[in-house]
Amino acid sequence: MRTSLTILSLIFFTAPGFYAQIEDITIGSPAWLVEIYFSEAQFAGKTKYFAGEMKEEEYEPTIGEELKGTATISYHEILSENMKAVYAVEVKLNEDIIDFYCYMLETNDGWKIEAVRRFLLPGFIYSTKDSLSQISNLSSSDGELLKIVKLLTSSDAELKNYFQKNVNDFYKLVLYLEDEDEKNIQNLLNELNIDAVFMDDKFPGCIFLQIGAFDKTEMGYFYSGESSSLPKISPNRFIYIEEILPKWYIYKII
């Protein structure tokens, strides 16, 4: 179930290293860790709840500490298996939305955060969007470029909405690829502002619809056909995978 709250509105700090129950969330659970890490203005004794690379973050502020209770967060679980849990976390600060991904591991000593990731594109993508957005009368080519960079910089929620709005065309792309219909593929890629559609030998049965790729960074959607081998969520590669519709997923790679 998706949870939404204003930072500090539902959480209160009682004593160093001790936190009160947050409504119906169990203390020490993955959801509790997400609440504390992303929304609490002080996470006392945080290293007790860190594992792996996060142990090196002892003297670094958490997201909640850095924002000092000025944002609104919402989150939901996108993976729960084999003593691992991954949550997608949306942080809204004024009009800006930042998507984070929190990876947790269940140990003999309870649940711990082992990594936190954020998907970032090259800086020129954001500056291009800002510059073009301030121009009232764009040329046709600049207008198309603005559509592309807006899609590239969309939040996860916006990417889901974009897919739902154009779902029939995405299905057509899959069919055109299977039929090797290059002309219709290119026309539809242009209409959808999608960079490429392809299959990857590493993931048999999956068809990737790439929105954009820069060096090792990549984002888009993929379709999983029959007997497909899906990529796995990892803080080191596919940092975000979430099912939108049966057989359809959003993905982000770093």
Side-chain angles (χ1 to χ4, degrees):
M1 180 177 68
R2 190 177 179 88
T3 305
S4 181
L5 66 152
T6 301
I7 288 182
L8 298 182
S9 65
L10 296 179
I11 304 174
F12 58 93
F13 184 73
T14 57
F18 178 79
Y19 292 88
Q21 182 77 33
I22 305 170
E23 292 196 339
D24 296 326
I25 298 176
T26 303
I27 293 175
S29 67
W32 181 86
L33 285 174
V34 169
E35 293 265 13
I36 299 297
Y37 185 87
F38 287 92
S39 67
E40 178 60 62
Q42 183 181 6
F43 192 168
K46 58 190 174 187
T47 52
K48 173 185 176 182
Y49 299 101
F50 288 173
E53 67 183 57
M54 291 298 291
K55 289 182 178 180
E56 301 175 7
E57 301 292 317
E58 178 180 2
Y59 300 106
E60 299 296 327
T62 65
I63 303 302
E65 290 170 342
E66 187 173 351
L67 297 178
K68 302 184 186 303
T70 59
T72 299
I73 72 165
S74 59
Y75 60 86
H76 59 283
E77 185 180 75
I78 56 175
L79 176 71
S80 178
E81 64 179 23
N82 300 326
M83 302 174 69
K84 290 182 178 290
V86 181
Y87 276 65
V89 184
E90 180 185 273
V91 176
K92 186 173 183 180
L93 187 63
N94 298 320
E95 297 303 316
D96 296 322
I97 293 176
I98 306 171
D99 291 300
F100 290 94
Y101 312 103
C102 186
Y103 310 81
M104 288 162 284
L105 173 69
E106 187 175 22
T107 70
N108 292 333
D109 195 29
W111 283 96
K112 298 181 185 294
I113 300 174
E114 60 177 345
V116 174
R117 293 288 185 268
R118 178 186 173 189
F119 183 79
L120 287 172
L121 294 163
F124 75 87
I125 297 294
Y126 302 100
S127 59
T128 299
K129 176 189 172 184
D130 291 341
S131 297
L132 292 176
S133 296
Q134 296 175 19
I135 301 174
S136 55
N137 296 311
L138 289 172
S139 65
S140 177
S141 59
D142 283 344
E144 290 303 312
L145 178 58
L146 180 57
K147 290 179 183 178
I148 292 170
V149 294
K150 278 187 173 180
L151 184 59
L152 284 168
T153 57
S154 294
S155 68
D156 292 344
E158 290 169 334
L159 288 173
K160 292 175 187 177
N161 290 336
Y162 186 79
F163 179 86
Q164 296 282 1
K165 180 181 177 181
N166 298 283
V167 62
N168 290 334
D169 286 335
F170 282 108
Y171 272 111
K172 287 180 183 178
L173 265 180
V174 170
L175 293 175
Y176 291 155
L177 182 68
E178 292 173 344
D179 293 340
E180 299 182 356
D181 188 340
E182 294 296 334
K183 181 179 179 180
N184 278 321
I185 286 175
Q186 194 56 56
N187 288 338
L188 203 46
L189 287 176
N190 293 337
E191 289 179 22
L192 291 170
N193 298 311
I194 299 295
D195 186 54
V197 56
F198 59 90
M199 300 185 73
D200 189 327
D201 291 340
K202 299 187 195 71
F203 309 107
C206 292
I207 296 176
F208 290 83
L209 297 90
Q210 181 189 89
I211 296 173
F214 305 89
D215 194 15
K216 295 181 180 179
T217 303
E218 182 181 326
M219 62 182 291
Y221 308 98
F222 71 83
Y223 174 80
S224 62
E226 297 298 326
S227 303
S228 57
S229 178
L230 274 62
K232 301 293 185 182
I233 294 180
S234 162
N236 301 317
R237 184 59 175 158
F238 282 85
I239 63 168
Y240 174 54
I241 298 174
E242 183 172 6
E243 190 172 30
I244 320 168
L245 290 176
K247 298 188 175 184
W248 282 100
Y249 300 80
I250 301 178
Y251 76 93
K252 290 181 177 178
I253 293 174
I254 60 170

